[in-house]
Amino acid sequence: MTVELTDELRRLEIAKGTGVLFVGDGAFQLTEGAITSADCLRTSGLARLVMEAGVATADDWRRAEGGDAGRLLEQPRLETLAMLSVFDAAYFLLASPSVPEFRPAPPHWLATVCRITPHVLVHECERRGDPESTPWPAQLVDRAPVVPVRRGRRRRVVLTGGQAEVLAAADARRSVAGIGDYLGRTSYGCLVAVRELTAAGLIEPPVQVMPAESPTAPPVIEATPPPRRRRVRPTAPVPAPDRWKPVDPDLLVRLRAALEDA
């Protein structure tokens, strides 16, 4: 977790900044210092989450981005999904070494249902952590394919519904982020499931191999056995600031203080 980014978020909170904070491969949208939305190319994104959950259709989402978010803002599950999306993106963006850049912009339309303070955001990401003992650190979320074990061990393994979905989606080509986008789930949730499935002996751990043509080069992440590599990215891009519209003050709802489980 980079100190520069967390300090900038806290500075914007004190200054009650409203706009976009670009960092790495994503961005935070802030309204009066609170985070209202976040996007990261390594996560599924809110658009994918709400469509998979049946909260909105593609047309509903296009209308919301175009300034007509009234119908979507009335959906009771939108708040929970919006917060999940923010925490998911923040888990990866807060570790980005890139220098953050803030640009003032109108409030994001999600400001009526989602406002998370930097303190709560940082605390949740610290709680999740990035265990050193796991063969799947957060940096591999979009870099290594998830390869199921070809021959199952002769022991009974009880899987949760989420673990079973992730295992079924592991095709030796999709990365963790690709599985999340395919299933319409958070990248962090899929990363946790992959870690657990690897510990259970159902997913191959990624290994570091040195390219033969360059013995002094940094290690390159491959998989065992080496499948075709493909980088999967969400289809929904980070919204451009000039597409955001002022929120409707009549639709304000109370913000839940924190989300304990993603």
Side-chain angles (χ1 to χ4, degrees):
M1 190 172 297
T2 58
V3 175
E4 186 173 8
L5 177 55
T6 55
D7 286 348
E8 180 66 5
L9 285 170
R10 287 168 179 144
R11 183 191 70 80
L12 291 169
E13 180 183 24
I14 295 172
K16 296 188 179 302
T18 298
V20 192
L21 181 63
F22 295 95
V23 57
D25 61 346
F28 294 97
Q29 287 82 35
L30 295 95
T31 300
E32 297 181 347
I35 296 96
T36 59
S37 179
D39 295 279
C40 177
L41 291 178
R42 288 167 285 173
T43 62
S44 302
L46 181 57
R48 181 73 181 92
L49 296 181
V50 297
M51 290 178 207
E52 179 63 25
V55 172
T57 64
D59 288 339
D60 293 333
W61 188 261
R62 282 193 290 268
R63 283 195 294 269
E65 287 193 318
D68 181 17
R71 180 182 178 279
L72 185 54
L73 290 171
E74 294 173 358
Q75 299 298 316
R77 296 182 62 190
L78 179 63
E79 178 184 9
T80 299
L81 293 172
M83 296 181 76
L84 277 173
S85 176
V86 169
F87 287 128
D88 195 33
Y91 179 73
F92 301 101
L93 293 179
L94 286 177
S96 175
S98 303
V99 177
E101 178 186 356
F102 179 71
R103 299 178 190 174
H108 194 276
W109 60 271
L110 284 168
T112 61
V113 296
C114 181
R115 292 199 181 194
I116 303 170
T117 66
H119 171 75
V120 170
L121 189 76
V122 171
H123 174 75
E124 173 63 16
C125 291
E126 287 178 340
R127 182 188 71 82
R128 295 179 176 190
D130 191 15
E132 296 181 357
S133 60
T134 178
W136 289 93
Q139 65 180 0
L140 293 188
V141 71
D142 64 339
R143 298 184 185 181
V146 181
V147 182
V149 172
R150 294 190 177 185
R151 291 186 179 181
R153 290 153 176 79
R154 292 189 176 182
R155 61 190 181 93
R156 178 172 295 181
V157 179
V158 179
L159 302 180
T160 65
Q163 291 171 339
E165 284 184 338
V166 170
L167 182 59
D171 60 356
R173 296 189 301 272
R174 296 187 184 99
S175 64
V176 175
I179 291 175
D181 185 58
Y182 175 75
L183 296 176
R185 294 179 56 188
T186 63
S187 291
Y188 173 76
C190 291
L191 179 60
V192 171
V194 167
R195 288 169 175 170
E196 294 168 343
L197 290 167
T198 302
L202 300 175
I203 293 292
E204 296 281 2
V207 296
Q208 291 184 341
V209 296
M210 194 73 74
E213 68 277 7
S214 179
T216 59
V220 175
I221 301 300
E222 295 288 354
T224 305
R228 182 181 61 169
R229 304 181 65 185
R230 182 176 66 180
R231 189 181 183 89
V232 182
R233 293 180 179 275
T235 57
V238 177
D242 60 359
R243 296 174 65 185
W244 300 340
K245 304 295 182 181
V247 298
D248 184 351
D250 294 333
L251 296 175
L252 291 175
V253 296
R254 298 185 60 183
L255 170 69
R256 181 166 53 188
L259 184 65
E260 291 300 330
D261 186 10

